[in-house]
Amino acid sequence: MATIAKSVALIPMRGGSKSIPKKNIKSIAGKPLFWWATSAALDSAVFDHIYVSTDSPEIETCVHHFFGESVTTIRRDASLATDEASTESVMLDFASKIAFETITLIQVTSPLVQASDFRKAHQTFKANHLDSLLTATEFKRFLWSRDAVPINYDPKKRPRRQDFTPYMLENGAFYITKKEILETYKSRLAGQIGIHKMREESSVEIDEPQDWEMLENLLLKQKTLPNLKDIKCLMVDVDGTLTDGGMYYSAEGEVMKKFVTKDAQGMNLLESKGIQVCVITAESSSSVHARMKKIGIKHYFHGIKNKKSVVDQWLKDQPEDMTWKDIAYIGDDLGDLECLQHAGQSFCPADADPIIKKNAYTLSSKGGEGAVRELCNLILEAQDLALSI
């Protein structure tokens, strides 16, 4: 008999999006839109399984790239991926195939959801013996009908805003539903219904192009330190990352670069703990060659114009099953952008290009001033290796 999962998450993502083409996999604040809510769901650790329902092979490939076997993709029938198909129809189709007790419908158009939201909502759901739950934010606004009839207050006794009893505005981030409720009422909300209150800014959803920039700025502000506990390899750029980006020429025309000893020590510490270190640069400089040889970097790629293709090949040559999600990449300029977008975790020095900062976690140190050592320390601490140094 198949095991019945207590709690599953369902993330619907269809390929067709008219207002914003390929919306679900379009990059926002450095990651595809779907990555934000999916990562929060994984980090919450409240789900037995997380599923993505899609009609798009491209979305399926993208999900697998970022999450591997942590997320299961289910190919959705084309009839359930039209503009007319309801979300409930997708949920019911899923319920007919997968055994579970409760389902959490997650909508990736609400990327500001956090792992703590899933944890607290599930605690509320269980503690209050609910049948279904929605997410919402407090709403303190005076409402009128189109016919100029007040809906939620008396204009002759207009309350102060701070004294106004708030309503709850459904924000659509996620819903929790018992399977029997979904199948009985054909609805995500029925029976004993509860609410999980979220932050006010989480009411912003991505439906139109003008929503994109607003949400990207909010995501950049709330960026937290990425999860580094499963990182197996650190990939490091040279100019502007291991160095300050300056080039010093001798009278003979030889290019010289300044390196920081503590960066080298950090990389050596990682390798001593079994975490691989790769250095990759677009330049081919004798001073860099000498530095890499001195500090004992085994994986050193120079003169590389297409860095991603080199990393792709390097991954294929590894004896263990390593993928991009196992890599932490640090770079500072546009030549690193593609690698930063593919890496499991992406970082940049404090003085990196503004576009790079949108696609990576910004460290407090500048390039050539300890940014790499800062990242090495973060990896060691995340993997509980720092105490044994």
Side-chain angles (χ1 to χ4, degrees):
M1 183 181 294
T3 303
I4 298 177
K6 288 186 177 296
S7 179
V8 300
L10 175 64
I11 306 174
M13 288 195 286
R14 66 189 184 101
S17 176
K18 293 182 173 59
S19 59
I20 304 175
K22 296 186 178 182
K23 173 176 65 179
N24 290 320
I25 57 175
K26 182 178 178 181
S27 180
I28 181 168
K31 296 292 183 184
L33 175 61
F34 75 85
W35 183 90
W36 296 93
T38 307
S39 290
L42 281 167
D43 291 345
S44 72
V46 299
F47 302 109
D48 296 314
H49 299 287
I50 297 176
Y51 296 88
V52 166
S53 170
T54 184
D55 62 316
S56 166
E58 187 176 9
I59 289 177
E60 195 170 8
T61 298
C62 198
V63 169
H64 181 73
H65 168 78
F66 280 96
F67 296 109
E69 296 181 358
S70 299
V71 175
T72 302
T73 56
I74 297 178
R75 188 64 65 87
R76 192 193 312 179
D77 187 85
S79 64
L80 296 174
T82 65
D83 291 338
E84 294 74 29
S86 68
T87 301
E88 269 76 7
S89 67
V90 177
M91 296 175 71
L92 287 164
D93 178 68
F94 175 81
S96 70
K97 300 172 182 175
I98 303 296
F100 61 86
E101 293 181 7
T102 63
I103 182 172
T104 299
L105 172 72
I106 300 174
Q107 303 196 125
V108 298
T109 48
S110 297
L112 292 170
V113 65
Q114 297 182 343
S116 59
D117 288 310
F118 291 116
R119 287 193 288 267
K120 291 176 182 177
H122 277 75
Q123 289 168 2
T124 299
F125 190 85
K126 292 176 183 177
N128 294 288
H129 307 288
L130 300 175
D131 295 311
S132 56
L133 176 146
L134 65 136
T135 57
T137 58
E138 284 193 348
F139 180 79
K140 288 188 176 184
R141 295 290 187 274
F142 301 122
L143 299 178
W144 292 74
S145 72
R146 291 180 181 272
D147 299 323
V149 176
I151 294 174
N152 62 347
Y153 83 111
D154 181 352
K156 295 186 289 296
K157 300 177 181 178
R158 186 183 183 92
R160 296 185 306 163
R161 191 170 185 274
Q162 59 266 39
D163 298 329
F164 187 66
T165 302
Y167 284 77
M168 298 306 290
L169 176 67
E170 189 173 334
N171 69 352
F174 63 89
Y175 303 82
I176 307 175
T177 314
K178 287 183 178 177
K179 186 173 186 179
E180 60 265 30
I181 291 294
L182 173 65
E183 293 179 328
T184 300
Y185 296 96
K186 315 299 181 190
S187 172
R188 73 189 82 172
L189 293 172
Q192 184 69 29
I193 301 174
I195 295 176
H196 168 66
K197 187 176 79 170
M198 291 178 61
R199 296 165 299 146
E200 185 176 356
E201 61 266 30
S202 67
S203 292
V204 181
E205 293 184 90
I206 297 180
D207 291 318
E208 301 298 333
Q210 58 265 32
D211 302 327
W212 198 268
E213 185 176 355
M214 182 190 305
L215 264 173
E216 184 164 48
N217 289 332
L218 289 170
L219 284 168
L220 289 170
K221 286 180 181 178
Q222 78 161 31
K223 265 191 176 180
T224 56
L225 180 66
N227 185 353
L228 295 166
K229 66 182 179 65
D230 296 321
I231 290 300
K232 299 177 182 176
C233 174
L234 172 63
M235 289 267 178
V236 184
D237 169 52
V238 176
D239 292 317
T241 303
L242 273 174
T243 76
D244 60 7
M247 296 186 182
Y248 308 93
Y249 288 85
S250 67
E252 292 75 25
E254 181 183 358
V255 178
M256 303 181 71
K257 300 173 187 284
K258 185 185 75 172
F259 294 90
V260 180
T261 301
K262 58 185 177 182
D263 285 344
Q265 292 173 335
M267 293 189 291
N268 287 336
L269 283 169
L270 285 184
E271 292 205 314
S272 72
K273 303 300 180 181
I275 299 168
Q276 295 197 63
V277 175
C278 297
V279 173
I280 185 166
T281 175
E283 300 294 328
S284 188
S285 163
S286 57
S287 60
V288 178
H289 301 340
R291 182 59 177 163
M292 294 304 106
K293 182 177 179 180
K294 180 175 177 59
I295 62 179
I297 297 296
K298 300 173 185 175
H299 305 291
Y300 166 49
F301 306 99
H302 55 90
I304 307 301
K305 302 306 178 185
N306 187 335
K307 293 183 178 181
K308 180 181 177 295
S309 65
V310 170
V311 179
D312 283 336
Q313 184 58 53
W314 181 81
L315 286 169
K316 290 179 182 178
D317 294 338
Q318 295 310 296
E320 59 181 302
D321 185 22
M322 190 184 296
T323 67
W324 274 98
K325 68 182 178 63
D326 300 311
I327 294 174
Y329 190 101
I330 177 169
D332 74 305
D333 216 332
L334 299 182
D336 301 300
L337 181 58
E338 193 173 14
C339 288
L340 289 166
Q341 290 174 333
H342 279 77
Q345 303 297 352
S346 303
F347 294 81
C348 67
D351 54 345
D353 183 272
I355 293 176
I356 297 301
K357 287 185 175 182
K358 282 189 174 184
N359 286 271
Y361 181 90
T362 304
L363 297 164
S364 60
S365 305
K366 294 181 179 180
E369 296 183 11
V372 173
R373 179 57 180 271
E374 181 182 341
L375 177 52
C376 291
N377 288 344
L378 290 173
I379 295 172
L380 291 165
E381 289 168 6
Q383 300 192 18
D384 294 325
L385 299 173
L387 294 177
S388 60
I389 293 173

